[in-house]
Amino acid sequence: MTVIKPHASHWGYFDAVVEDGRLVGVRPFARDPFPGTLIESMPDVVHAACRIDRPYVRRGWLRGERRGAPRGSDPFVPLSWDRVTRLLAEETRRVRAEHGPSAIYGGSYGWSSAGRFHHAKTQLQRFLGLGGGFTSSVTSYSYATGQTLMPHVLGTNEVVLGRVTDWAAIAANARLMLCFGGLAAKNGLISNGGGGAHEYLPLMRRAAAAGVRFVGISPCRGDMEAELGAEWVPIRPGTDAAMMLAMAHAILAAGKEDREFLATRCVGWERLRAYVAGEADGVAKTPEWAEPITGVPAATIRRLALECAAKPTMLTAAWSLQRADYGEQPWWMLVALAAMLGTIGRPGQGVAFGYGSINGMGTPRRELPAVSMPPVRNAGLHIPVARITEMLERPGGTLEYNGRTITLPDIRIIWWAGGNPFHHHQDLNRFLRAWSRAETIVAQEPWWTPLARHADIVLPATTTLERNDIASSSRDRFVRAMHQAIPPQGEARNDFDMLADVADALGYRDRFTEQRDEGAWLRHLYERWRQACARMGFEAPDFERFWAEGHVEVPPPEPEEAYTQFAEFAADPAGHPLDTPSGKVELFSETIAAMGYADCPGHPVWIAPREWLGAQAAAAYPLHLLSDQPATRLHGQLDPGRVAAADKIQGRQPIRMHPEDAAARGLREGEVVRVFNARGACLAGLRLDPGLLRGVAAMATGAWFDPLEPGVPGSLCVHGNPNVLTPDIGTSRLGQGPSAQSCLVQVERWEGPLPPVKVHLPPPVAEEETLP
């Protein structure tokens, strides 16, 4: 018998098609105007060969081989849930007693599930927080640098990830949109918390049809959708700040700066003006100065600058732009450009970040909360998320971050749920060495991902299809009921239930569960959301109706309510000041300047990246590698599925190169190549792309890390994970974000026998009775 169940994922809402307890197909949500193809991989991954069927423990850990022991090569021993639960409780109790709560790192990342209750990070951090605290992370790999910077400059992070100026306002009022880093179509198919309406592409197209001219400033032509008819301005990676400074100089030289806006709504203009003009350092930041740095002709820089001054303009930059050496600088300078134009707060104009980075940015919406779990306070330590390797390498050392000095903890337990650091983190060989410093590594995972393979205790988690939940996102107008479609596979359990049992062994089950099971929690969370909506003018249906109908739609705002960010500030800066020390746009920040960071001074500047095509290192590694988001999966999720598999070349992640760069190396389309630098090497399948700037190569992230010699740092990744190549260096002492986009490599043909990709199969398993 065929059964249809409503469900949801970060890559779209869908109906699950089930036959005899097995997921056999998916159907896009009927209300989605632009559904993607990623949902087609769901049956493959739910029933994949690499599902974890029961709890396992690394054999060496059971034999006492813990701190300093390599992970990734040991076989795993199957154990019962009862025994694993006791081991976890004993180890947690011991470490807390001997080393304190900061010795437990509660890892994870926010993409584990669109469901808001069975959200692995939330459940894990609730468990650890109620148990006495833990070390956790702040900021996001996606926009850590900008997330730290923008409160200093504009007084809010809403300009990065919140309710930015919407596409309706842009279409009605702007006539030019400059997009640094582009507006990649593939990113518009992803929504954290799920998406019922993929409106990103239709809204962009409407803006183009309304007369907005788009300009994509990026090394990759494909970062702009072809239907927008955008002008492509190829630029050397990592040099956007130099181009923006040169645009500022051209506006200044033509006398086109908005002096009234700069005088009444900004602080620090004279300091920045002196730097742009060259009065501060003797170097005028002219378009001619920027041309040899950026590769963009001076005439193009000047033309675009004067066009911005002549037309209603929206400026934007992708999140990826600040994931590079000194990534604060281009974002800060883009705000400064908008301030010079006087467009901040004007209808459909100004500056915002992330339009091309995720679905829902700029979507007209009512301001309502998302369904969410109540927070639990963590009294422990917090570190920037991209500095995990340093934390493990240097216990007791210090780390400067955003004006503070953090003493790094001595981590004994790493407990990770719903994330894969072997995808998100950089310089994986260095990371692998640091990873071995922990005594115990716990992974809650549905699959034998690289995280699970490099853990000590592996707990099999259910997928979303094996439990009930609610999907919700503040960027989407739908809330979706996620009905359990199939029974748990093998001995898999949901994160809430497994952690409740450990909490029980530690004596605080009732505080963790609040004496609610799954069904009671879903009703509770929905009712909290319903009451909050009622206070804001929206009457949501009761839970029974919502669960039966499968979704709730929040009516969008009326068209005449097109939203422009900072409009109130622009109209009345005294009555509606920004949340900065001055209440104004801080083109020079006294707060940042007082930190004394040479790598992020008090106003935006040009600092040459450590790795770029103008660096000395380019003589040995002459290709700038960009590691972008994949179109065939979400980060590392869905990698075992059919959509990702169809895109690979001889089972490897593709690397895109300009045909002339490939020809110079004697390489042909479809060959397997070795991509390498001093940090590591991986295999990839070659794909030619004339839409790349010469000297630039691109590989999507997310191919599961698959070293030729498991557990051995420096081993060749046979599958094509670019993070064996990317540097693990903070953007600056201010933001301490990842700098993955500053990466030089060389590429050559792979001449040896082609090693198999094994990461989508289970690792070696030892029988329990073989243990001494």
Side-chain angles (χ1 to χ4, degrees):
M1 184 178 75
T2 300
V3 178
I4 307 298
K5 297 283 189 177
H7 214 72
S9 68
H10 295 301
W11 42 92
Y13 293 175
F14 62 93
D15 292 330
V17 182
V18 178
E19 293 181 1
D20 299 323
R22 188 175 180 87
L23 183 69
V24 296
V26 291
R27 302 188 312 206
F29 180 49
R31 301 291 303 282
D32 194 339
F34 204 91
T37 61
L38 294 185
I39 58 173
E40 296 171 10
S41 287
M42 292 299 290
D44 308 322
V45 297
V46 168
H47 301 293
C50 54
R51 282 298 301 269
I52 304 171
D53 61 342
R54 59 177 299 179
Y56 288 91
V57 178
R58 182 173 64 85
R59 185 171 64 183
W61 187 89
L62 287 169
R63 292 175 172 177
E65 298 166 11
R66 302 193 179 180
R67 192 161 220 187
R71 271 76 172 192
S73 57
D74 253 3
F76 287 89
V77 176
L79 295 183
S80 69
W81 269 110
D82 284 347
R83 185 174 175 195
V84 164
T85 299
R86 289 197 303 273
L87 285 175
L88 286 169
E90 290 165 4
E91 184 68 356
T92 303
R93 187 182 292 111
R94 179 190 70 80
V95 168
R96 284 193 188 282
E98 295 178 5
H99 306 287
S102 65
I104 301 175
Y105 179 68
S108 184
Y109 208 52
W111 287 103
S112 58
S113 168
R116 298 298 85 185
F117 173 62
H118 289 298
H119 185 254
K121 177 181 179 180
T122 301
Q123 292 292 347
L124 174 63
Q125 297 195 343
R126 177 180 176 81
F127 163 77
L128 292 174
L130 290 172
F134 62 104
T135 294
S136 66
S137 58
V138 296
T139 69
S140 160
Y141 280 101
S142 295
Y143 39 71
T145 300
Q147 193 175 4
T148 306
L149 173 70
M150 282 301 132
H152 293 293
V153 178
L154 288 170
T156 180
N157 267 320
E158 289 291 293
V159 73
V160 179
L161 49 91
R163 191 184 180 194
V164 296
T165 298
D166 66 36
W167 283 104
I170 294 169
N173 298 284
R175 285 300 165 261
L176 177 65
M177 189 164 181
L178 256 61
C179 309
F180 286 86
L183 297 170
K186 59 182 171 57
N187 296 339
L189 296 174
I190 302 299
S191 303
N192 195 316
H198 288 107
E199 297 177 309
Y200 164 81
L201 290 176
L203 288 169
M204 281 198 308
R205 291 170 182 174
R206 278 182 222 159
V212 178
R213 186 172 95 80
F214 288 86
V215 179
I217 302 165
S218 168
C220 311
R221 183 194 295 274
D223 281 342
M224 297 294 290
E225 193 202 14
E227 289 191 30
L228 298 181
E231 176 185 355
W232 179 38
V233 178
I235 185 172
R236 279 181 168 180
T239 66
D240 302 84
M243 179 172 172
M244 294 171 190
L245 285 162
M247 290 178 66
H249 191 283
I251 292 168
L252 191 63
K256 300 293 185 180
E257 74 276 19
D258 189 325
R259 296 174 187 174
E260 194 271 338
F261 188 94
L262 291 166
T264 61
R265 292 164 178 81
C266 302
V267 295
W269 164 240
E270 282 305 315
R271 300 284 291 269
L272 180 58
R273 186 204 62 78
Y275 178 76
V276 171
E279 297 166 9
D281 62 355
V283 180
K285 313 309 181 294
T286 65
E288 287 73 22
W289 162 82
E291 179 174 337
I293 297 172
T294 64
V296 180
T300 300
I301 297 174
R302 186 171 283 108
R303 170 176 59 81
L304 289 174
L306 298 181
E307 189 176 357
C308 287
K311 294 180 179 180
T313 300
M314 169 58 79
L315 302 176
T316 187
W319 289 343
S320 60
L321 217 66
Q322 45 83 71
R323 294 197 294 269
D325 286 346
Y326 318 115
E328 295 84 357
Q329 305 312 314
W331 273 31
W332 198 350
M333 192 58 216
L334 197 65
V335 173
L337 268 181
M340 290 182 69
L341 297 170
T343 54
I344 296 175
R346 285 187 192 170
Q349 302 172 64
V351 63
F353 304 92
Y355 285 108
S357 301
I358 197 169
N359 182 53
M361 294 295 285
T363 300
R365 67 181 193 241
R366 293 178 65 168
E367 278 297 281
L368 293 174
V371 178
S372 63
M373 285 285 288
V376 169
R377 183 175 177 271
N378 173 28
L381 188 67
H382 304 270
I383 64 156
V385 68
R387 303 273 58 82
I388 296 171
T389 297
E390 285 188 53
M391 173 186 71
L392 297 173
E393 286 176 335
R394 302 194 292 112
T398 59
L399 177 75
E400 292 182 83
Y401 167 63
N402 196 22
R404 295 184 287 118
T405 299
I406 300 169
T407 301
L408 298 172
D410 186 1
I411 297 297
R412 303 299 175 120
I413 295 177
I414 299 172
W415 198 320
W416 213 287
N420 179 6
F422 289 86
H423 159 73
H424 275 105
H425 212 72
Q426 285 70 57
D427 196 349
L428 289 183
N429 290 308
R430 177 185 169 198
F431 178 72
L432 191 58
R433 287 188 288 268
W435 189 252
S436 69
R437 292 186 56 85
E439 293 177 359
T440 301
I441 300 169
V442 185
Q444 299 170 206
E445 263 290 347
W447 300 278
W448 282 110
T449 63
L451 166 68
R453 290 167 179 270
H454 291 86
D456 299 316
I457 300 175
V458 180
L459 309 178
T462 51
T463 66
T464 66
L465 275 299
E466 297 151 50
R467 59 206 188 204
N468 295 297
D469 214 330
I470 300 172
S472 178
S473 169
S474 62
R475 296 193 184 101
D476 193 89
R477 69 176 186 271
F478 292 95
V479 174
R480 180 70 157 171
M482 300 171 65
H483 290 199
Q484 181 177 341
I486 59 175
Q489 303 295 286
E491 296 183 22
R493 304 179 70 201
N494 66 59
D495 300 279
F496 172 73
D497 286 343
M498 66 174 81
L499 291 171
D501 281 354
V502 183
D504 186 54
L506 291 169
Y508 62 98
R509 182 189 192 95
D510 284 353
R511 283 193 296 128
F512 176 72
T513 66
E514 296 187 13
Q515 297 182 323
R516 296 187 183 98
D517 62 9
E518 175 189 79
W521 267 110
L522 295 184
R523 287 175 177 273
H524 175 66
L525 297 182
Y526 183 85
E527 188 57 33
R528 288 176 73 243
W529 174 76
R530 186 169 173 256
Q531 291 175 7
C533 288
R535 290 191 293 270
M536 301 175 75
F538 171 63
E539 294 296 331
D542 62 27
F543 181 82
E544 284 72 20
R545 180 180 164 192
F546 158 67
W547 198 253
E549 294 182 353
H551 70 270
V552 172
E553 180 178 6
V554 177
E558 296 298 320
E560 59 265 24
E561 296 177 14
Y563 173 75
T564 295
Q565 196 173 27
F566 303 117
E568 291 182 335
F569 164 74
D572 181 9
H576 298 279
L578 302 179
D579 192 18
T580 57
S582 64
K584 301 179 180 182
V585 180
E586 303 231 345
L587 304 182
F588 181 92
S589 168
E590 295 284 359
T591 302
I592 293 176
M595 296 176 191
Y597 299 154
D599 52 9
C600 190
H603 62 71
V605 296
W606 161 248
I607 309 175
R610 288 172 283 260
E611 291 191 34
W612 68 301
L613 291 174
Q616 257 189 332
Y621 304 110
L623 291 172
H624 193 126
L625 180 69
L626 298 177
S627 45
D628 55 3
Q629 292 301 315
T632 60
R633 55 186 171 253
L634 168 57
H635 297 301
Q637 294 185 59
L638 306 177
D639 192 50
R642 69 189 71 177
V643 178
D647 184 60
K648 292 178 183 176
I649 297 172
Q650 299 189 54
R652 325 290 151 162
Q653 180 63 37
I655 182 170
R656 300 180 351 251
M657 293 176 62
H658 191 281
E660 294 179 18
D661 286 329
R665 292 162 175 78
L667 304 175
R668 297 186 302 273
E669 174 106 18
E671 287 187 308
V672 172
V673 297
R674 176 175 173 261
V675 190
F676 63 97
N677 59 22
R679 286 178 289 271
C682 67
L683 299 184
L686 179 61
R687 181 167 292 155
L688 303 182
D689 185 354
L692 281 177
L693 181 69
R694 281 289 312 271
V696 174
M699 285 183 75
T701 58
W704 289 4
F705 177 57
D706 193 3
L708 185 61
E709 299 177 82
V712 179
S715 180
L716 175 77
C717 175
V718 304
H719 194 199
N721 186 321
N723 276 332
V724 301
L725 306 161
T726 52
D728 183 11
I729 302 173
T731 51
S732 77
R733 287 177 287 171
L734 180 83
Q736 289 289 6
S739 54
Q741 304 298 3
S742 299
C743 178
L744 295 175
V745 301
Q746 179 58 291
V747 176
E748 64 184 13
R749 179 181 291 107
W750 174 254
E751 300 288 1
L754 198 56
V757 174
K758 298 180 179 179
V759 73
H760 293 152
L761 297 172
V765 172
E767 294 296 330
E768 188 169 0
E769 58 265 26
T770 63
L771 288 173

